[in-house]
Amino acid sequence: MSDVGRYVRGVLWDMDGTLINSQPFWDESFRRRCEAAGGAVTEAQVAALEGASIRRTRELIAATGAAPTPDAPEAEAIFTGMAADVEAAVKASPPLVPGAREITQTLLEVGLAQVIVTQSPRPIVDAVAHALGDVFVGAVTGDDGLPGKPDRAPYAAGMRLLGLSEDQCVVVEDSATGAASARSNDLRVIQIGGRKHFPADPGLVVVPELKAVTPHLLLWAEP
């Protein structure tokens, strides 16, 4: 895809690490619930939670010994409890990233359609969307039965939800797995923070923080 003739009409947002910082909620609940069920939680397992799909999270639960397998009822119960913990925490005090409310509201005002593409469960996504003023036309979530990022499926579903093509959309992401999912759909990516995930990829533009994202950047910034 060339940038020539590109006309951006939609923005696909990652959620965790991009619009909110709910990872500490997941980490605390994972540790507490797995240990209560007799698991032995390692720092590596906690670190692996970041950006994990629902399936991967259940694998990590089983890896602690809190459940015999990822498909066991014990793993399902622990994950369900974790999701409820995070949903309650997000509703009580939404951990919005600075600038999230301002940029999403501005994009609404200038007429860009917005959708969330995340691996979090839908109730948590709905809570975040509400905290941001319900500016999104929809969401692709971990409850939708799709392969998780870095598979291309989540962002492909986001484009279908918007009814737009890859040259009409831009993605805002923070993780390498999310950027890989987006780029496999030939979507241009604004990466929040860190070193450029794919240094040789001209379709990835890095900014230091969410507050640096502007409508002008989303619509016209070149690599």
Side-chain angles (χ1 to χ4, degrees), residues 47-69:
L49 278 176
E50 185 171 0
S53 65
I54 293 175
R55 173 66 187 180
R56 177 58 179 150
T57 302
R58 288 174 62 159
E59 290 173 352
L60 290 167
I61 290 168
T64 72
T69 69

Side-chain angles (χ1 to χ4, degrees), residues 165-178:
S165 60
E166 68 276 3
D167 59 332
Q168 296 173 309
C169 299
V170 63
V171 169
V172 186
E173 263 283 358
D174 71 311
S175 71
T177 55

Side-chain angles (χ1 to χ4, degrees), residues 1 3 6 8 13 18 169-175 179-180 182-183 187-210 212-223:
M1 180 193 72
D3 281 341
R6 178 170 53 80
V8 173
W13 289 97
T18 300
C169 299
V170 63
V171 169
V172 186
E173 263 283 358
D174 71 311
S175 71
R183 292 300 293 144
L187 286 158
R188 191 166 63 95
V189 176
I190 306 300
Q191 177 191 321
I192 306 297
R195 294 184 178 181
K196 188 173 181 180
H197 294 313
F198 313 122
D201 187 350
L204 202 65
V205 176
V206 181
V207 296
E209 58 185 355
L210 181 61
V213 176
T214 63
H216 185 276
L217 174 68
L218 294 170
L219 291 169
W220 293 292
E222 299 295 335

